[in-house]
Amino acid sequence: TQPSFREALERLENIGRELERNDLDLDRALALFEDGIEQLKVARGLLAASEQKVRKVLTEADGAIVTRDLDD
C-alpha cells in the first residue's frame, strides 16, 4: 500500500539524517538516495491530489456561502 504523506515525509527526514552520516558506503548511500527519490515522488503526488481537493470558500453579496475549485 502507498504510504501517507506524513509517512513519506518522515521517511525522507530519516533518509536525510542517514545520508548525513560520514560512515556510509557508496552502495548504501545510493540506495538511500534512490529511496528518497521514490518517497519524494509519493509525497508530491499526494500533495497534488490534496491540492485538487482544496476548495475556496467565498461569501456572495447576499451573504450566501459558496465553494469554488481552487483553480477558479
Side-chain angles (χ1 to χ4, degrees), residues 6-60:
R6 171 178 261 157
E7 291 168 335
L9 189 59
E10 287 174 358
R11 180 66 185 134
L12 279 169
E13 289 172 351
N14 290 335
I15 289 169
R17 279 191 292 275
E18 198 167 341
L19 284 171
E20 289 174 348
R21 292 184 17 215
N22 292 327
D23 62 343
L24 285 179
D25 65 29
L26 182 59
D27 289 335
R28 177 68 179 146
L30 184 56
L32 285 168
F33 179 78
E34 290 173 347
D35 188 15
I37 295 297
E38 288 304 312
Q39 295 302 315
L40 184 59
K41 288 178 184 177
V42 167
R44 282 185 174 170
L46 291 168
L47 186 58
S50 293
E51 286 175 346
Q52 290 177 354
K53 293 178 183 178
V54 172
R55 299 175 71 78
K56 184 168 65 174
V57 177
L58 303 172
T59 304
E60 296 290 312

